[in-house]
Amino acid sequence: MATVRPFSTPPPANLIKRIALVAVGLAILAIALSSCVLRVDAGHVGIKVKLAGDERGVDKSPTVQGWVFFNPLTEQIILFPTSVQNIVWTKDPHESNARDSSITFSSQEGVNINADVGLSFHIEPTLAPKLYGRFRKSDLMDLANGYVRNAMRESFNMQASQMPVQEIYGSGKGKLVENVAQRMQEQLGKDGFVIDQLTINGALRLPENVANAINRAMEATQQAIQAENRVRQVRAEAEQAVTQAEGQAKAARARAQGEADAKLITAKAEARSNLILKYSMTPSVLQYRALERWNGRLPVMNGGGAMPMLTFDASKLGKGGDDDEKKLLELLGQEEEMERKEAERAKDAKDEKADPAKAPEGAAPPAPPAEQPKK
């Protein structure tokens, strides 16, 4: 026969109460711990503010990124951004603010200039507690539209008042922006602001009459530059033409000199040849050449006179003698000397062309031809 056992007895009521109390305690502990822990993400720093005690206020040391434990009853953690912030103050309501937030400043002459200005900045993490303690604001856009914008307007007015409007409208705009950024950094840097970039977006807006006057002045300047460039071009072309004419004149003189030198050399050679012929044409030579060229025939009509080519007076055509023979030998010797020197010069020039290193140092130029003896 099967034995029937009774059901197990239910747990006592006090055990159930204990379990419920533990669960409630754990829940309360979890809620408490979650309120005591805060995560500081990248691009932010946590600023600890003490709410009670003798040292209440902003802690000078910023809290680093990551999980931060604090007492929510006596302490508070403020998340402060340190990443780069960008803001544009513009006249266009569709780009930034719904109202006109552009910047107006005055030049040296008192002309009002309006501009759209863009600014990029960030906060130095070590100075974030000081900045928060001074303004009690963690919204950097709120600070930028108030404190930073006022400082920038003052810097623009201070720097632009030292520059003429034409310079600001022209090449001096970059210098103005650089000076304003430097002054803002000096003024705001002590509060932790770091100016990354300051720009003037688009063209400057001036009164219409001032803008027209500046444009006319710039146009006149451009025309003057173009006229000066044309003058330089004409001057360069004239100098080129003069140089070309001088070159042609030099070339013509060189050709004329060469032709004259060639004629002189030819004339000297012919004169030397004539002298040689003169001193070599003795009566005996003339008689011999006459006989050499005679064909042995007598003329048909003689006319009863002396026989030609045999009995003419050759002494009238030349006079032989020791003096003529001496002069002839001198001329022939000079010719041989000139031919030898010319051959040596040609050989030296050929050797120098083949091997320039063999050219003698300090070699004297070729000697001029020897003077011909006077008649």
Side-chain angles (χ1 to χ4, degrees):
M1 174 180 288
T3 302
V4 178
R5 295 180 179 179
F7 292 101
S8 58
T9 57
N14 57 355
L15 180 61
I16 296 175
K17 290 180 180 179
R18 289 194 191 105
I19 294 174
L21 289 176
V22 170
V24 172
L26 291 175
I28 294 174
L29 180 61
I31 295 173
L33 289 176
S34 64
S35 63
C36 297
V37 177
L38 181 67
R39 190 180 71 176
V40 180
D41 296 329
H44 294 75
V45 292
I47 300 175
K48 184 179 292 186
V49 180
K50 295 184 178 181
L51 304 176
D54 296 336
E55 297 181 355
R56 60 179 176 271
V58 179
D59 192 350
K60 296 180 180 180
S61 300
T63 304
V64 296
Q65 291 83 5
W67 292 100
V68 180
F69 293 91
F70 65 100
N71 183 2
L73 298 178
T74 60
E75 295 176 339
Q76 182 183 6
I77 301 298
I78 304 297
L79 296 180
F80 201 91
T82 57
S83 58
V84 176
Q85 308 293 317
N86 297 296
I87 188 170
V88 178
W89 294 287
T90 177
K91 191 175 183 180
D92 188 1
H94 302 289
E95 184 174 350
S96 180
N97 299 325
R99 58 185 179 83
D100 183 4
S101 59
S102 59
I103 305 299
T104 301
F105 50 91
S106 299
S107 67
Q108 190 178 38
E109 300 87 353
V111 178
N112 290 331
I113 304 172
N114 185 259
D116 297 338
V117 179
L119 177 67
S120 298
F121 68 96
H122 70 275
I123 304 301
E124 176 63 34
T126 57
L127 296 178
K130 178 182 179 182
L131 181 63
Y132 179 77
R134 180 179 180 186
F135 294 97
R136 291 291 176 173
K137 291 181 179 181
S138 60
D139 186 356
L140 290 184
M141 289 297 101
D142 192 11
L143 283 174
N145 286 316
Y147 175 62
V148 177
R149 186 172 183 270
N150 292 335
M152 184 179 59
R153 291 177 59 184
E154 180 186 2
S155 298
F156 265 105
N157 279 303
M158 289 292 295
Q159 298 299 324
S161 63
Q162 303 174 13
M163 301 173 64
V165 60
Q166 187 169 356
E167 183 179 355
I168 297 174
Y169 192 71
S171 60
K173 184 170 69 173
K175 179 182 178 182
L176 173 64
V177 172
E178 182 180 355
N179 293 340
V180 170
Q182 182 178 357
R183 191 175 189 278
M184 288 183 62
Q185 184 61 57
E186 294 174 356
Q187 183 178 358
L188 303 179
K190 60 181 180 294
D191 293 325
F193 288 92
V194 178
I195 306 301
D196 295 306
Q197 187 178 22
L198 178 67
T199 59
I200 293 180
N201 301 337
L204 298 174
R205 289 182 286 271
L206 303 175
E208 185 177 359
N209 58 337
V210 177
N212 292 336
I214 293 176
N215 290 332
R216 286 194 298 269
M218 290 183 175
E219 184 178 358
T221 302
Q222 292 295 328
Q223 292 176 355
I225 294 175
Q226 293 176 0
E228 185 178 357
N229 291 336
R230 287 195 296 269
V231 170
R232 291 178 179 175
Q233 182 179 1
V234 172
R235 185 183 296 114
E237 292 176 353
E239 292 177 354
Q240 183 179 3
V242 170
T243 303
Q244 185 176 1
E246 290 178 351
Q248 293 176 353
K250 289 181 180 179
R253 286 195 296 268
R255 286 195 299 270
Q257 185 66 34
E259 293 175 358
D261 292 341
K263 289 180 180 180
L264 180 60
I265 293 173
T266 302
K268 288 181 178 180
E270 291 179 353
R272 191 181 299 110
S273 177
N274 291 335
L275 287 174
I276 294 174
L277 289 175
K278 174 184 177 183
Y279 295 136
S280 63
M281 288 300 145
T282 61
S284 299
V285 173
L286 293 175
Q287 183 69 29
Y288 172 75
R289 291 201 176 177
L291 292 174
E292 187 180 25
R293 300 180 66 86
W294 180 48
N295 58 7
R297 295 180 182 180
L298 295 176
V300 179
M301 297 297 293
N302 190 12
M307 187 178 297
M309 303 301 292
L310 295 175
T311 59
F312 64 87
D313 190 0
S315 62
K316 295 181 179 181
L317 300 177
K319 296 182 179 180
D322 295 339
D323 189 42
D324 291 344
E325 184 177 357
K326 182 178 180 181
K327 292 180 178 179
L328 177 60
L329 293 175
E330 290 179 357
L331 285 173
L332 294 176
Q334 291 176 1
E335 288 291 330
E336 292 178 357
E337 182 65 19
M338 291 177 61
E339 291 177 357
R340 184 183 64 79
K341 290 182 178 180
E342 186 65 30
E344 290 179 355
R345 285 197 296 269
K347 183 176 180 301
D348 293 341
K350 183 177 180 181
D351 294 341
E352 183 179 354
K353 185 176 181 181
D355 188 2
K358 294 183 179 180
E361 296 183 359
E371 296 183 358
Q372 304 299 329
K374 298 182 180 180
K375 295 182 180 180

